[in-house]
């Protein structure tokens, strides 16, 4: 495969990915789950610190319990799988590193016809208790995953490049 084709695939995934909030109930197959986790594991991080852990949950009752702690995350009720991305605040760049994990997972999922969506606001202490996450860690986000039922294109727009790009000088 030529380099050109590889870069076009990456660009296509980046360009077409959407946040998905409606999922089919089918469970995520093991190979797909492993690819999503691997995509997260291979994210870059400052000094290759890899200040992250992933908590994978497929139990419906636990998923429901976690979602109760996420005010804008009710859409995840349909998701057969959630993954908590947990970072280590002792590492200065943990939020940035964890965000890269999240985007890697989202893009790999998209390629597998699996949707997901960031959520930010949540009761992190409650989620730590439910999932047994050590107190000193940070729950960056909880991602719901499911085979895509509906694509919402309402935010498939971005600021124009001319508006945000400055060549040579601002
Ligand atoms: C840090 C962050 C937090 C977000 N929080 C939420 C959220 O709480 N609920 C939600 O439905 N979407 C959330 N989103 C998804 C954004 O609304 C979405 O990415 C944006 O509108 C662009 O749409 P697109 O991802 O479909 O291109 C969040 C995205 C990011 C990056």
């Amino acid at each position: 495969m030529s380099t050109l084709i590889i870069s076009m695939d990456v660009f296509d995934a980046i360009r077409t990915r959407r946040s998905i909030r409606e999922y089919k109930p089918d469970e995520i197959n093991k190979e797909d789950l492993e690819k999503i986790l691997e995509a997260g594991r291979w994210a870059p991080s400052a000094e290759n610190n890899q200040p992250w852990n992933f908590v994978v949950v497929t139990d419906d009752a636990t998923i429901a319990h976690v979602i109760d702690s996420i005010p804008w995350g009710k859409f995840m009720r349909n998701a057969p799988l959630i993954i908590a991305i947990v970072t280590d605040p002792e590492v200065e760049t943990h939020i940035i590193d964890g965000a890269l994990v999240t985007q890697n997972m989202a893009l790999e999922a998209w390629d597998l016809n699996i949707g997901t969506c960031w959520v930010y606001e949540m009761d992190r202490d409650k989620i730590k208790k439910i999932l047994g996450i050590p107190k000193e860690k940070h729950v960056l986000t909880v991602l719901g995953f499911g085979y895509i039922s509906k694509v919402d294109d309402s935010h498939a727009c971005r600021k124009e490049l001319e508006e945000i790009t400055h060549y040579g000088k601002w």
Side-chain angles (χ1 to χ4, degrees):
M1 201 188 281
S2 77
T3 308
L4 180 63
I5 289 169
I6 290 169
S7 8
M8 283 181 68
D9 285 345
V10 171
F11 181 76
D12 277 352
I14 292 168
R15 174 63 187 82
T16 60
R17 180 215 55 81
R18 299 275 68 82
S19 292
I20 300 297
R21 300 174 184 84
E22 291 187 43
Y23 313 103
K24 293 180 181 163
D26 322 34
E27 77 179 57
I28 302 289
N29 80 49
K30 196 167 169 280
E31 292 73 32
D32 288 352
L33 171 59
E34 273 170 14
K35 279 188 183 162
I36 291 167
L37 294 170
E38 282 291 342
R41 182 169 82 94
W42 281 99
S45 59
E47 296 178 339
N48 203 16
N49 268 319
Q50 305 166 61
W52 49 60
N53 284 261
F54 314 141
V55 184
V56 178
V57 184
T58 53
D59 174 65
D60 287 343
T62 312
I63 291 176
H65 203 183
V66 169
I67 288 167
D68 275 345
S69 308
I70 306 175
W72 305 106
K74 303 303 167 216
F75 63 85
M76 278 192 269
R77 287 225 165 90
N78 302 322
L81 163 76
I82 60 172
I83 302 178
I85 312 296
V86 181
T87 61
D88 180 358
E90 292 214 342
V91 174
E92 192 185 337
T93 55
H94 71 110
I95 304 259
I96 297 168
D97 299 331
L100 292 167
V101 163
T102 305
Q103 182 69 349
N104 269 15
M105 286 188 178
L107 288 172
E108 179 56 28
W110 183 253
D111 192 43
L112 298 167
N113 205 28
I114 293 169
T116 189
C117 178
W118 262 96
V119 285
Y120 184 71
E121 204 186 316
M122 63 191 73
D123 186 333
R124 291 180 162 78
D125 287 337
K126 256 195 196 164
I127 292 174
K128 280 186 203 174
K129 272 190 200 135
I130 297 166
L131 298 180
I133 296 165
K135 263 199 190 116
E136 66 276 12
K137 301 290 185 187
H138 177 68
V139 180
L140 178 67
T141 185
V142 175
L143 298 174
F145 288 92
Y147 293 101
I148 296 170
S149 164
K150 189 178 161 207
V151 177
D152 171 10
D153 266 332
S154 60
H155 285 185
C157 52
R158 294 294 187 268
K159 293 177 183 175
E160 294 301 329
L161 262 190
E162 296 72 31
E163 199 186 327
I164 58 173
T165 312
H166 311 269
Y167 291 98
K169 203 175 175 195
W170 182 292

